[in-house]
Amino acid sequence: MKLMRVGRPGQEKPAILDADGKIRDLSAHVKDIGGEAISPEGLKTIAGLDLSSLPVLTNERIGACVSGTGKFICIGLNFSDHAAETGAKVPSEPVIFMKATSAIVGPDDNVVIPRGSEKTDWEVELGVVIGKTAKYVSEADALDYVAGYCVSHDVSERAFQSERQGQWTKGKSCDTFGPIGPWLVTKDEIADPQNLGMWLKVNGEMMQNGSSKTMVYGVAHVVSYLSQFMSLHPGDVISTGTPPGVGLGMKPQRFLKAGDVVELGIEGLGTQKQTFVADI
């Protein structure tokens, strides 16, 4: 299933994309796409609905694909070829950092370049959405706790991230730096999360063209690993790292400016398109 949320910011309705590409309103059956709705039982209920009987929604903004996200967790340097382009060593364990949930926006919303930004950068990433509480889970069982997957754009301000002291959070958490969606694609539709093509373009020019198969630590390992340190709850999002082709790794380096248009997508998970604008 392809679950989504549509409507004005803060007023999104839960919805589902049917086989004909029509957006169907789920609000009579679930409160939102999050919490109980994305639990195994909730997903089973949605799967049993007659979609043809649901109202069609048209000309609606697409919002972030999941609501109630308590934690937005990111894995750094998780693609060997991306680590190489940035001059970093492949980590011996997953690198964990947090992205503020206030950064979350819809997949086609404008992204605001923050005041004082010098090095706003792009990163297409595979997002993992948790469907039931996970604590001390094994790698073998880890995918049982996943509701599905989405496209995640881990927008980053590199000067804030690496040149302003402290950890990476300040360069990752600016408002609008976390577009997710357009859909939460349930895991039954993704045969292998470790074999998905990933791409990103800036102003029509291909910058990233990779695959989740070059992840150092796969989805199951990451979910299990994180659950050793913190409970993962329904609606939590894990952004699992980016393939090579980011602006930081280019010679000369290249960063985003107001007016730039970024398009990105992951095989089977849909696409995003954002215009970058100045914060005034």
Side-chain angles (χ1 to χ4, degrees):
M1 296 183 290
K2 294 180 175 66
L3 304 176
M4 56 197 305
R5 302 170 65 250
V6 298
R8 296 177 180 177
Q11 300 177 24
E12 293 92 347
K13 297 178 181 179
I16 186 170
L17 193 73
D18 72 13
D20 296 323
K22 295 178 181 177
I23 299 173
R24 300 280 185 168
D25 188 355
L26 286 174
S27 57
H29 300 276
V30 298
K31 292 181 179 179
D32 211 338
I33 304 301
E36 293 182 6
I38 60 173
S39 69
E41 297 78 14
L43 293 178
K44 184 177 180 180
T45 297
I46 294 172
L49 297 174
D50 175 11
L51 300 189
S52 65
S53 68
L54 302 179
V56 175
L57 299 172
T58 58
N59 300 319
E60 296 267 15
R61 165 191 170 268
I62 300 175
C65 61
V66 63
S67 69
T69 298
K71 294 188 289 296
F72 196 165
I73 310 167
C74 299
I75 308 299
L77 301 173
N78 197 30
F79 283 66
S80 55
D81 35 12
H82 170 59
E85 74 172 344
T86 61
K89 293 182 179 179
V90 173
S92 59
E93 295 186 37
V95 172
I96 301 170
F97 63 92
M98 308 296 284
K99 197 176 185 84
T101 56
S102 54
I104 294 174
V105 291
D108 300 325
D109 290 343
N110 289 345
V111 173
V112 179
I113 298 174
R115 295 179 186 178
S117 171
E118 301 172 354
K119 298 179 179 181
T120 295
D121 203 352
W122 56 84
E123 293 190 14
V124 59
E125 304 203 0
L126 172 63
V128 179
V129 181
I130 298 299
K132 65 178 182 178
T133 300
K135 187 175 178 66
Y136 300 129
V137 303
S138 69
E139 187 169 341
D141 294 335
L143 296 186
D144 293 342
Y145 296 82
V146 172
Y149 305 97
C150 65
V151 180
S152 174
H153 191 180
D154 179 21
V155 185
S156 309
E157 211 300 336
R158 303 301 190 182
F160 294 180
Q161 175 185 349
S162 303
E163 302 170 22
R164 297 285 297 273
Q165 298 299 319
Q167 300 176 342
W168 293 356
T169 304
K170 67 169 70 77
K172 298 285 189 171
S173 296
C174 303
D175 294 347
T176 73
F177 270 26
I180 55 173
W183 316 308
L184 188 171
V185 180
T186 51
K187 64 184 177 184
D188 58 291
E189 292 199 6
I190 303 299
D192 183 3
Q194 304 309 145
N195 190 27
L196 301 175
M198 308 168 66
W199 60 271
L200 181 145
K201 297 178 181 179
V202 177
N203 299 328
E205 180 182 356
M206 186 71 76
M207 297 298 183
Q208 294 185 272
N209 189 11
S211 170
S212 61
K213 68 177 61 175
T214 66
M215 277 187 190
V216 178
Y217 301 105
V219 171
H221 182 91
V222 165
V223 171
S224 173
Y225 183 84
L226 288 172
S227 78
Q228 310 307 309
F229 303 101
M230 65 191 83
S231 294
L232 303 174
H233 298 290
D236 285 352
V237 176
I238 306 167
S239 204
T240 55
T242 197
V246 300
L248 179 68
M250 294 182 173
K251 297 181 180 179
Q253 294 178 339
R254 178 172 170 180
F255 299 109
L256 295 163
K257 61 185 183 302
D260 285 341
V261 175
V262 176
E263 300 169 87
L264 59 150
I266 298 178
E267 182 181 353
L269 301 183
T271 62
Q272 301 184 357
K273 183 177 182 180
Q274 297 117 23
T275 300
F276 280 65
V277 299
D279 192 352
I280 55 175

PDB file of all heavy atoms in Angstrom, residues 5 8 12 27 35 61 112 119 125 167 184 187 190 207 211 227 266 271:
ATOM      1  N   ARG A   5      -0.527  11.602   3.238  1.00  0.00           N
ATOM      2  CA  ARG A   5      -1.268  12.620   3.968  1.00  0.00           C
ATOM      3  C   ARG A   5      -1.374  13.840   3.059  1.00  0.00           C
ATOM      4  O   ARG A   5      -0.364  14.298   2.523  1.00  0.00           O
ATOM      5  CB  ARG A   5      -0.571  12.954   5.281  1.00  0.00           C
ATOM      6  CG  ARG A   5      -0.383  11.744   6.175  1.00  0.00           C
ATOM      7  CD  ARG A   5       0.514  11.999   7.382  1.00  0.00           C
ATOM      8  NE  ARG A   5      -0.064  12.969   8.294  1.00  0.00           N
ATOM      9  CZ  ARG A   5       0.407  14.198   8.478  1.00  0.00           C
ATOM     10  NH1 ARG A   5       1.487  14.616   7.809  1.00  0.00           N
ATOM     11  NH2 ARG A   5      -0.180  15.026   9.321  1.00  0.00           N
ATOM     12  N   ARG A   8      -3.545  21.114   3.590  1.00  0.00           N
ATOM     13  CA  ARG A   8      -2.715  22.222   4.037  1.00  0.00           C
ATOM     14  C   ARG A   8      -1.864  21.811   5.234  1.00  0.00           C
ATOM     15  O   ARG A   8      -2.246  20.911   6.000  1.00  0.00           O
ATOM     16  CB  ARG A   8      -3.592  23.414   4.412  1.00  0.00           C
ATOM     17  CG  ARG A   8      -4.372  24.002   3.251  1.00  0.00           C
ATOM     18  CD  ARG A   8      -5.267  25.131   3.740  1.00  0.00           C
ATOM     19  NE  ARG A   8      -6.040  25.727   2.647  1.00  0.00           N
ATOM     20  CZ  ARG A   8      -6.941  26.684   2.816  1.00  0.00           C
ATOM     21  NH1 ARG A   8      -7.186  27.153   4.046  1.00  0.00           N
ATOM     22  NH2 ARG A   8      -7.595  27.172   1.775  1.00  0.00           N
ATOM     23  N   GLU A  12      -3.628  18.061   7.358  1.00  0.00           N
ATOM     24  CA  GLU A  12      -3.562  16.941   6.422  1.00  0.00           C
ATOM     25  C   GLU A  12      -4.574  15.837   6.766  1.00  0.00           C
ATOM     26  O   GLU A  12      -4.846  15.572   7.945  1.00  0.00           O
ATOM     27  CB  GLU A  12      -2.156  16.332   6.410  1.00  0.00           C
ATOM     28  CG  GLU A  12      -1.089  17.256   5.839  1.00  0.00           C
ATOM     29  CD  GLU A  12      -0.388  18.124   6.855  1.00  0.00           C
ATOM     30  OE1 GLU A  12      -0.893  18.201   8.013  1.00  0.00           O
ATOM     31  OE2 GLU A  12       0.648  18.715   6.531  1.00  0.00           O
ATOM     32  N   SER A  27      -9.938   9.243   5.978  1.00  0.00           N
ATOM     33  CA  SER A  27     -10.237   9.880   7.257  1.00  0.00           C
ATOM     34  C   SER A  27     -11.469   9.308   7.965  1.00  0.00           C
ATOM     35  O   SER A  27     -11.612   9.492   9.174  1.00  0.00           O
ATOM     36  CB  SER A  27     -10.376  11.392   7.086  1.00  0.00           C
ATOM     37  OG  SER A  27     -11.368  11.718   6.128  1.00  0.00           O
ATOM     38  N   GLY A  35       1.002   6.224  14.466  1.00  0.00           N
ATOM     39  CA  GLY A  35       0.466   5.539  15.634  1.00  0.00           C
ATOM     40  C   GLY A  35      -0.164   4.201  15.296  1.00  0.00           C
ATOM     41  O   GLY A  35       0.419   3.370  14.601  1.00  0.00           O
ATOM     42  N   ARG A  61      -2.340  19.514  -1.689  1.00  0.00           N
ATOM     43  CA  ARG A  61      -0.920  19.451  -1.345  1.00  0.00           C
ATOM     44  C   ARG A  61      -0.627  18.107  -0.689  1.00  0.00           C
ATOM     45  O   ARG A  61      -1.424  17.579   0.081  1.00  0.00           O
ATOM     46  CB  ARG A  61      -0.578  20.571  -0.378  1.00  0.00           C
ATOM     47  CG  ARG A  61       0.762  20.403   0.340  1.00  0.00           C
ATOM     48  CD  ARG A  61       0.938  21.398   1.471  1.00  0.00           C
ATOM     49  NE  ARG A  61       2.097  21.083   2.286  1.00  0.00           N
ATOM     50  CZ  ARG A  61       2.059  20.320   3.383  1.00  0.00           C
ATOM     51  NH1 ARG A  61       0.920  19.788   3.775  1.00  0.00           N
ATOM     52  NH2 ARG A  61       3.171  20.090   4.073  1.00  0.00           N
ATOM     53  N   VAL A 112      13.710  26.078   2.838  1.00  0.00           N
ATOM     54  CA  VAL A 112      14.208  27.407   3.159  1.00  0.00           C
ATOM     55  C   VAL A 112      15.684  27.336   3.524  1.00  0.00           C
ATOM     56  O   VAL A 112      16.077  26.620   4.454  1.00  0.00           O
ATOM     57  CB  VAL A 112      13.406  28.018   4.330  1.00  0.00           C
ATOM     58  CG1 VAL A 112      13.943  29.401   4.674  1.00  0.00           C
ATOM     59  CG2 VAL A 112      11.921  28.093   3.980  1.00  0.00           C
ATOM     60  N   LYS A 119      26.658  26.748   2.943  1.00  0.00           N
ATOM     61  CA  LYS A 119      26.905  25.448   2.336  1.00  0.00           C
ATOM     62  C   LYS A 119      25.704  24.515   2.496  1.00  0.00           C
ATOM     63  O   LYS A 119      25.804  23.432   3.078  1.00  0.00           O
ATOM     64  CB  LYS A 119      28.156  24.809   2.964  1.00  0.00           C
ATOM     65  CG  LYS A 119      29.433  25.621   2.753  1.00  0.00           C
ATOM     66  CD  LYS A 119      30.640  24.958   3.403  1.00  0.00           C
ATOM     67  CE  LYS A 119      31.913  25.777   3.158  1.00  0.00           C
ATOM     68  NZ  LYS A 119      33.103  25.140   3.774  1.00  0.00           N
ATOM     69  N   GLU A 125      17.961   9.912   0.623  1.00  0.00           N
ATOM     70  CA  GLU A 125      18.143   8.816   1.571  1.00  0.00           C
ATOM     71  C   GLU A 125      16.890   7.937   1.632  1.00  0.00           C
ATOM     72  O   GLU A 125      15.770   8.405   1.412  1.00  0.00           O
ATOM     73  CB  GLU A 125      18.459   9.355   2.975  1.00  0.00           C
ATOM     74  CG  GLU A 125      19.682  10.264   2.998  1.00  0.00           C
ATOM     75  CD  GLU A 125      20.341  10.363   4.365  1.00  0.00           C
ATOM     76  OE1 GLU A 125      19.857   9.715   5.318  1.00  0.00           O
ATOM     77  OE2 GLU A 125      21.349  11.094   4.461  1.00  0.00           O
ATOM     78  N   GLN A 167      28.213  18.753  17.694  1.00  0.00           N
ATOM     79  CA  GLN A 167      27.812  17.639  16.850  1.00  0.00           C
ATOM     80  C   GLN A 167      27.113  18.134  15.583  1.00  0.00           C
ATOM     81  O   GLN A 167      27.059  19.321  15.309  1.00  0.00           O
ATOM     82  CB  GLN A 167      26.940  16.690  17.664  1.00  0.00           C
ATOM     83  CG  GLN A 167      27.693  16.130  18.875  1.00  0.00           C
ATOM     84  CD  GLN A 167      26.821  15.269  19.760  1.00  0.00           C
ATOM     85  OE1 GLN A 167      25.593  15.333  19.698  1.00  0.00           O
ATOM     86  NE2 GLN A 167      27.448  14.453  20.590  1.00  0.00           N
ATOM     87  N   LEU A 184       4.254   6.587   2.325  1.00  0.00           N
ATOM     88  CA  LEU A 184       4.789   5.520   3.143  1.00  0.00           C
ATOM     89  C   LEU A 184       4.395   4.244   2.405  1.00  0.00           C
ATOM     90  O   LEU A 184       3.216   3.901   2.341  1.00  0.00           O
ATOM     91  CB  LEU A 184       4.180   5.561   4.544  1.00  0.00           C
ATOM     92  CG  LEU A 184       4.764   4.629   5.615  1.00  0.00           C
ATOM     93  CD1 LEU A 184       4.186   4.980   6.984  1.00  0.00           C
ATOM     94  CD2 LEU A 184       4.533   3.152   5.345  1.00  0.00           C
ATOM     95  N   LYS A 187       5.943  -2.354   3.736  1.00  0.00           N
ATOM     96  CA  LYS A 187       7.112  -3.200   3.458  1.00  0.00           C
ATOM     97  C   LYS A 187       6.793  -4.386   2.553  1.00  0.00           C
ATOM     98  O   LYS A 187       7.686  -4.910   1.889  1.00  0.00           O
ATOM     99  CB  LYS A 187       7.743  -3.678   4.754  1.00  0.00           C
ATOM    100  CG  LYS A 187       6.868  -4.573   5.605  1.00  0.00           C
ATOM    101  CD  LYS A 187       7.555  -4.905   6.912  1.00  0.00           C
ATOM    102  CE  LYS A 187       6.654  -5.747   7.803  1.00  0.00           C
ATOM    103  NZ  LYS A 187       7.271  -5.999   9.125  1.00  0.00           N
ATOM    104  N   ILE A 190       7.993  -3.848  -0.974  1.00  0.00           N
ATOM    105  CA  ILE A 190       9.427  -3.700  -1.224  1.00  0.00           C
ATOM    106  C   ILE A 190      10.108  -5.028  -0.929  1.00  0.00           C
ATOM    107  O   ILE A 190      10.331  -5.388   0.233  1.00  0.00           O
ATOM    108  CB  ILE A 190      10.021  -2.568  -0.353  1.00  0.00           C
ATOM    109  CG1 ILE A 190       9.276  -1.249  -0.609  1.00  0.00           C
ATOM    110  CG2 ILE A 190      11.512  -2.411  -0.605  1.00  0.00           C
ATOM    111  CD1 ILE A 190       9.358  -0.757  -2.045  1.00  0.00           C
ATOM    112  N   MET A 207      23.046  14.426 -10.008  1.00  0.00           N
ATOM    113  CA  MET A 207      24.124  14.549  -9.035  1.00  0.00           C
ATOM    114  C   MET A 207      24.379  13.232  -8.299  1.00  0.00           C
ATOM    115  O   MET A 207      25.525  12.854  -8.047  1.00  0.00           O
ATOM    116  CB  MET A 207      23.790  15.647  -8.014  1.00  0.00           C
ATOM    117  CG  MET A 207      23.667  17.027  -8.620  1.00  0.00           C
ATOM    118  SD  MET A 207      25.217  17.559  -9.384  1.00  0.00           S
ATOM    119  CE  MET A 207      24.777  19.215  -9.892  1.00  0.00           C
ATOM    120  N   SER A 211      22.616   3.249  -5.256  1.00  0.00           N
ATOM    121  CA  SER A 211      21.733   2.151  -4.872  1.00  0.00           C
ATOM    122  C   SER A 211      21.891   1.856  -3.390  1.00  0.00           C
ATOM    123  O   SER A 211      22.993   1.978  -2.829  1.00  0.00           O
ATOM    124  CB  SER A 211      22.061   0.893  -5.674  1.00  0.00           C
ATOM    125  OG  SER A 211      21.366  -0.238  -5.153  1.00  0.00           O
ATOM    126  N   SER A 227      17.824  -0.115  18.430  1.00  0.00           N
ATOM    127  CA  SER A 227      16.959  -0.590  19.511  1.00  0.00           C
ATOM    128  C   SER A 227      17.740  -1.035  20.744  1.00  0.00           C
ATOM    129  O   SER A 227      17.146  -1.247  21.807  1.00  0.00           O
ATOM    130  CB  SER A 227      16.071  -1.740  19.019  1.00  0.00           C
ATOM    131  OG  SER A 227      16.782  -2.965  18.950  1.00  0.00           O
ATOM    132  N   ILE A 266      13.447   7.383  -5.175  1.00  0.00           N
ATOM    133  CA  ILE A 266      13.940   6.044  -4.884  1.00  0.00           C
ATOM    134  C   ILE A 266      12.998   5.054  -5.565  1.00  0.00           C
ATOM    135  O   ILE A 266      11.772   5.219  -5.539  1.00  0.00           O
ATOM    136  CB  ILE A 266      14.015   5.777  -3.373  1.00  0.00           C
ATOM    137  CG1 ILE A 266      14.995   6.745  -2.707  1.00  0.00           C
ATOM    138  CG2 ILE A 266      14.437   4.334  -3.095  1.00  0.00           C
ATOM    139  CD1 ILE A 266      15.101   6.593  -1.195  1.00  0.00           C
ATOM    140  N   THR A 271       8.770  10.141  -5.883  1.00  0.00           N
ATOM    141  CA  THR A 271       9.715  11.229  -6.122  1.00  0.00           C
ATOM    142  C   THR A 271       9.336  12.465  -5.315  1.00  0.00           C
ATOM    143  O   THR A 271       8.198  12.616  -4.866  1.00  0.00           O
ATOM    144  CB  THR A 271       9.755  11.610  -7.617  1.00  0.00           C
ATOM    145  OG1 THR A 271       8.459  12.075  -8.025  1.00  0.00           O
ATOM    146  CG2 THR A 271      10.169  10.426  -8.477  1.00  0.00           C
TER     147      THR A 271
END
